[in-house]
Amino acid sequence: MMALLEVKGLRRRFGGVTALDGADLSVEQGRITGLIGPNGAGKTTLFNAVTGALRPNDGAVYFAGTDVTGWRPDRLAEVGLSRTFQIARGLSALTVIENLMLYGKHQPGEAFCAAVLRTKAARAREEELRLRAIAVARELNLLQVGDNRAIDLSGGQKKLLELGRALMAEPKLIMLDEPAAGINPTLAKKLGEHILALKARGMTFLIIEHNMGLVAALCDHVVVLVQGKRFAQGRFADLRSDPRVQEAYMGHRA
Ligand SMILES: Nc1ncnc2c1ncn2[C@@H]1O[C@H](COP(=O)(O)OP(=O)(O)OP(=O)(O)O)[C@@H](O)[C@H]1O
Ligand SMILES: [Mg+2]
C-alpha cells in the first residue's frame, strides 16, 4: 500500500548548515507517526520543506500519490495537508470561534466580499463555517470558551485551538510540531486523548515531540532524525531500548 505521505531524499542548507541531508520518511494512512531527534536535528525544517513554508534544495514529497514538492501551503491545504507551528502564532483579539472560522476551507477574500455585498450565498457560507467552527470547538472542549478572545486562553487551550485550526481545513493529514511543548503533564495527556480520538475516526498524524511519554502513548511508528537524516525507525519500545538510538539522541543533546 502506498503511504499517505512519502518524503524522499530531502535536502536543505542554510548557509554553511546542512539542516536536511537527504531525509526519508513515510507516513501510513490512519496511523500516528512520531518524528523525534535531538535539538537541531532538522525536524522543524523537514515540516517546513514538506508544507511549502520553505523550498527544499533537493528531494521529493508525495502526498496521496501526487508529487507535491514545492507546493505552496494553501494549495497543500486544499488537497488535505494541514500543519501547526512549534510556536503558536497569529492568535489575535478575535474570539475562539472567529479564529476557527478564519481557517475554514475555500474562502479567498470571502470575508471581505461578505461584508460588502451581504449576498445570500455569502451569508450561507459564513453560517456553514460557523457551524463547522462550533463542531470543532465542541470536539476539543473549547465550546465553553468559544466567545472568549483567543489571546486570553490558557496555554493548553491555545494548543487545542491550534489543533482546531488545522482541523477546520478538513485535512487528511495533520502535522503537529511539538504539540505538548510548554504545557503541563495533565494538559499534555488531555491533548493526547484528543489526538487518539481523532485517530479513531480515521485521521492520520505526523507528530514532532520531545515528550517521550506522549510519543510512547500515541505513536504507532517512530522515525528518529539525526543530523538531517533518518537514523532509525520502528516501534517506540524497540527504539527506546536501542543503545545506538540512545547514544545518537543523548550524544547530540546540548
Ligand atoms: N531559517 C533558518 N535559517 C538558518 N538556519 C536555520 C533555519 N531554520 C533552521 N536552521 C538550522 O537548521 C538546523 C535544524 O533546525 P530545526 O529547527 O529544523 O531543528 P529541530 O530538529 O526542529 O530542533 P528542535 O528540536 O530544537 O526544535 C539547526 O542547526 C538550525 O539552527
Ligand atoms: Mg523544531
Side-chain angles (χ1 to χ4, degrees), residues 6-233:
E6 194 85 53
V7 172
K8 289 193 172 152
L10 216 54
R11 288 181 195 282
R12 173 70 201 210
R13 280 182 311 275
F14 295 106
V17 175
T18 301
L20 292 176
D21 192 12
D24 297 311
L25 172 107
S26 57
V27 174
E28 298 292 333
Q29 168 89 44
R31 291 217 279 191
I32 301 177
T33 299
L35 180 60
I36 67 172
N39 295 121
K43 302 178 299 294
T44 297
T45 303
L46 186 144
F47 266 35
N48 287 338
V50 164
T51 57
L54 198 67
R55 265 196 104 71
N57 297 123
D58 198 9
V61 179
Y62 299 90
F63 183 67
T66 304
D67 186 343
V68 298
T69 316
W71 282 26
R72 303 297 312 158
D74 49 348
R75 197 169 163 212
L76 286 168
E78 261 173 46
V79 295
L81 201 162
S82 197
R83 61 112 28 122
T84 67
F85 291 88
Q86 186 166 1
I87 317 279
R89 39 185 228 180
L91 289 182
S92 60
L94 295 176
T95 69
V96 167
I97 295 294
E98 287 163 349
N99 253 282
L100 290 171
M101 287 175 68
L102 274 183
Y103 285 78
K105 253 186 149 173
H106 308 303
Q107 49 157 11
E110 267 181 16
F112 177 73
C113 290
V116 173
L117 299 172
R118 281 280 149 207
T119 63
K120 210 170 169 187
R123 274 201 308 273
R125 173 66 192 132
E126 200 178 315
E127 190 49 32
E128 194 183 300
L129 267 180
R130 183 177 301 280
L131 289 177
R132 170 135 189 98
I134 288 169
V136 166
R138 182 178 292 121
E139 164 117 54
L140 298 174
N141 283 341
L142 288 174
L143 200 53
Q144 71 280 13
V145 290
D147 294 325
N148 294 16
R149 296 189 311 169
I151 47 173
D152 295 331
L153 294 177
S154 75
Q157 287 170 329
K158 281 181 183 148
K159 292 282 178 182
L160 288 170
L161 178 56
E162 182 86 350
L163 176 58
R165 297 203 297 198
L167 280 170
M168 282 298 292
E170 298 174 41
K172 295 191 178 83
L173 168 66
I174 299 182
M175 294 172 51
L176 303 171
D177 194 350
E178 298 197 31
I183 62 178
N184 71 49
T186 311
L187 287 171
K189 196 160 168 283
K190 271 250 146 58
L191 185 72
E193 285 162 9
H194 283 298
I195 291 169
L196 284 173
L198 288 163
K199 179 202 162 186
R201 302 219 326 256
M203 189 62 70
T204 306
F205 289 92
L206 175 61
I207 303 181
I208 297 174
E209 190 49 71
H210 283 293
N211 178 336
M212 290 304 139
L214 203 59
V215 172
L218 296 183
C219 298
D220 303 295
H221 184 79
V222 173
V223 173
V224 186
L225 198 71
V226 178
Q227 295 182 338
K229 277 198 200 69
R230 183 170 62 199
F231 180 81
Q233 63 177 329

